Amino acid sequence: MRVLLDAPDAAARRRIIGRRWKGIVNDCEAVLEEVTHPDVQDARGFALDVAHALRASHTSAAQALAANLLDSLLQRHFDQTARVLLTKNDFKTTGVKFKFEDYKFKVACTFAPVWYAHAKYFPKNGDPIPRTFGRHPSAHGVSRTQYSRINAVYALMLVTSVIKFFDTELP
């Protein structure tokens, strides 16, 4: 979707996703329908469940399933070292951003958003629950602040992208 790439900032992208969520869900579902690799068939089915839940207005269920599916995909297909590289987001503490140049283009485009979704969130430290989608706040900060249709769509987009990556890259 060119309009997302042309958006000037994250807030504009959220507005676009909010307005076009049905089309985005349709697009994700179309991508998932084409996934054929046997090692991602279960994940594909759960991602389709996320799309169906979104359409049925079960946004909290969709977001919770997508956030956990993302974690399951990373656990199943990466060893701990690779997982840490792709999810250790210490930007708030260190200011270090995802290093696109360290990865092939396809890997960077797939996993940079995953890295951003793993921003540190520690409720025990008094961290406020973020409004934007995050894997950790989806698990540890269940609230109307974190759970929303836009965040559920973001989560579906992430798992769709990761599933499609594995569909084309697994032997």
Side-chain angles (χ1 to χ4, degrees), residues 78-98:
F78 288 126
D79 64 23
Q80 183 173 351
T81 303
R83 228 176 22 259
V84 167
L85 279 173
L86 295 170
T87 62
K88 187 174 181 183
N89 179 339
D90 284 330
F91 177 75
K92 290 179 187 175
T93 308
T94 65
V96 175
K97 294 183 177 184
F98 184 84

Side-chain angles (χ1 to χ4, degrees), residues 1-22 24 150 153-154:
M1 208 184 269
R2 184 78 209 171
V3 68
L4 284 174
L5 294 173
D6 291 339
D9 56 32
R13 284 188 293 279
R14 281 184 71 80
R15 286 191 300 275
I16 292 164
I17 289 169
R19 285 192 311 268
R20 297 181 180 207
W21 73 271
K22 288 180 184 177
I24 294 168
I150 291 172
V153 173
Y154 266 99

Side-chain angles (χ1 to χ4, degrees), residues 121-129:
Y121 168 71
F122 293 105
K124 68 180 180 186
N125 294 345
D127 290 352
I129 298 170

